[in-house]
Amino acid sequence: RDGYGSYSSAGVAAAVMSVASALFGPNVGCAIDKWGQKRVATMVGAFWLASIALLGLVLVLRPPYWVLVAVVVMLGVSVLGGSLIRARWRVALRSDPGAMPSALSLTSVAEECMWVLSTPIATALATLVSPVAALVFGVATILAGLPLLLGDSTHEPAPLVPGRPVPLRRRREPGDPSIEDTVVLPGIAAPGVDADYPPLPASLPSDAEADGDPDREGTANDLAGHASAPDERLAPASSARIPERLWTPTFAVLLLVLVFYGAFQSTTGIAIVAFARELDVQAWAGTVTACFSGGSMIGALVYGMRTWPGALWARFYIGLAALAISCSLLVLVDSMSFAAVVMLIAGLFQAPTIVNINQIFMRIVPAARFTEGMALFGSMWVIGMSLSNIVAGAAIDRFGARG
């Protein structure tokens, strides 16, 4: 807005960047799955930093508006940090799936901390110093965090390059004096082999499996019948189905849910800003929004501290319903302090709902396309937010913030 003199120009540029992210994200994720996190993310990260530098140059020189649009399209190519971390959790906890909810909750806490801390810092730099200062802050955080992530390859998923054999360590069997290296093609399982990045069952496991029942031991490959040690309890081969396709009915439904979820979040944020403007207390808008993130952090901590009873699908629907009902209470508020309380309560259900979505996602998406699938989830979220900006803006203009 400061560079080109209007909020509409800034809004169009932001929408273009969102669409570009939705288009490029799945392709970046697919490349990461095929060639590995470090190899692809290093190149994408360098391109990302160059794009941010170009944006800063554009804001300083103020060339024609189409140049800005071209640069923000480039910004759509970025490192999928959340996807990289969740893919590593999947590898690290392949022998302890019951710990996955806690791991995802911890990730949600870290992400909420990022938003709570970085957003006001960047906003203050952009308004009090210069928009370029906010970009410099972003570059500094990327340069500090990305090498730390990519430099640790302990739980980095093995790249699945088509046609390239991946060495897998063979499990020691009774009477087998040595452990040999077995070579198989990616996506093709071999008997008696422990893959570094095993696929998960396509169908949702029972509650005992989901919650890490100690009576159910073994990895996903064990469930598929890839081990035959006499002391291991194996599920019947017919009950374990290895997901081979990304696009399944469940996956499509989750994508649709995320479109509406993104629209819901964006609409709520816009309504809070409009409500603050109606009351002439614009400074409160950021505080109320931060209450939602703070509640989400608390919800993630509480949800990840214990194993919750009930089926995963039931917890998923309960979380969605509780989040929708609590946010609907905003139509009853008459002050920003009341709105802050409502947003804090609503935020308590935000992170648990996202954790449940991620758990379902990890069980239905094939390991070889995990990052691509996660990027598609993010794309649907962004599309929902972009579409809601248009609809919510028109509705608020006509009916006000409560409408």
Side-chain angles (χ1 to χ4, degrees):
R1 186 264 178 191
D2 291 338
Y4 287 85
S6 71
Y7 284 104
S8 60
S9 298
V12 170
V16 169
M17 187 175 68
S18 298
V19 173
S21 299
L23 293 176
F24 293 133
N27 293 285
V28 173
C30 182
I32 289 174
D33 288 330
K34 288 183 178 180
W35 299 98
Q37 290 188 0
K38 187 173 184 179
R39 183 176 184 180
V40 176
T42 299
M43 294 185 291
V44 173
F47 182 83
W48 192 18
L49 291 172
S51 301
I52 296 174
L54 281 177
L55 178 60
L57 191 62
V58 166
L59 294 178
V60 172
L61 300 179
R62 299 185 185 181
Y65 183 70
W66 65 266
V67 177
L68 173 64
V69 174
V71 171
V72 297
V73 169
M74 295 172 58
L75 284 171
V77 181
S78 61
V79 177
L80 309 172
S83 301
L84 301 185
I85 294 172
R86 286 170 174 82
R88 293 185 179 217
W89 276 126
R90 191 174 188 178
V91 175
L93 300 178
R94 64 185 182 274
S95 60
D96 187 15
M100 186 61 73
S102 297
L104 295 175
S105 295
L106 179 63
T107 304
S108 295
V109 170
E111 289 175 339
E112 293 297 342
C113 285
M114 175 191 69
W115 289 113
V116 170
L117 296 176
S118 64
T119 300
I121 293 174
T123 301
L125 289 173
T127 55
L128 301 178
V129 182
S130 166
V132 177
L135 296 179
V136 172
F137 170 70
V139 169
T141 56
I142 294 171
L143 289 175
L146 192 59
L148 290 176
L149 174 63
L150 300 181
D152 183 3
S153 58
T154 305
H155 300 297
E156 180 181 352
L160 302 174
V161 182
R164 174 179 294 182
V166 177
L168 301 175
R169 292 187 301 276
R170 183 180 176 187
R171 184 184 294 112
R172 186 186 295 274
E173 302 290 351
D176 189 356
S178 63
I179 299 178
E180 302 176 354
D181 284 341
T182 305
V183 176
V184 296
L185 292 179
I188 302 178
V193 168
D194 249 342
D196 286 339
Y197 195 20
L200 297 180
S203 58
L204 294 182
S206 65
D207 292 340
E209 297 174 47
D211 295 332
D213 190 324
D215 291 333
R216 297 281 303 180
E217 296 183 353
T219 64
N221 276 348
D222 294 331
L223 295 178
H226 295 316
S228 57
D231 60 340
E232 292 177 334
R233 300 175 182 176
L234 304 179
S238 59
S239 66
R241 294 183 291 116
I242 301 301
E244 298 178 353
R245 296 184 297 118
L246 176 63
W247 288 96
T248 61
T250 305
F251 183 76
V253 169
L254 281 179
L255 291 184
L256 184 62
V257 168
L258 282 171
V259 170
F260 287 103
Y261 199 96
F264 156 77
Q265 275 203 321
S266 179
T267 301
T268 302
I270 294 173
I272 289 295
V273 173
F275 185 54
R277 183 172 297 145
E278 290 177 1
L279 298 179
D280 197 24
V281 287
Q282 290 91 328
W284 272 80
T287 302
V288 173
T289 304
C291 286
F292 184 78
S293 297
S296 183
M297 289 174 57
I298 297 172
L301 287 172
V302 173
Y303 193 73
M305 288 174 62
R306 56 161 296 181
T307 299
W308 295 87
L312 177 58
W313 65 266
R315 300 199 301 270
F316 167 66
Y317 285 121
I318 291 172
L320 277 180
L323 182 61
I325 292 172
S326 56
C327 278
S328 297
L329 296 177
L330 286 173
V331 299
L332 304 177
V333 303
D334 56 2
S335 67
M336 291 301 290
S337 57
F338 190 10
V341 173
V342 170
M343 292 298 286
L344 179 65
I345 295 173
L348 295 174
F349 303 101
Q350 152 83 356
T353 302
I354 296 301
V355 169
N356 291 333
I357 291 176
N358 284 328
Q359 281 189 272
I360 297 174
F361 168 80
M362 287 185 171
R363 299 179 189 182
I364 65 173
V365 173
R369 302 184 69 178
F370 180 82
T371 313
E372 179 187 0
M374 181 66 77
L376 280 168
F377 268 42
S379 296
M380 295 303 104
W381 195 309
V382 169
I383 288 174
M385 295 179 69
S386 300
L387 294 176
S388 71
N389 288 339
I390 301 173
V391 177
I396 290 173
D397 288 339
R398 184 171 181 180
F399 303 107
R402 286 191 176 89

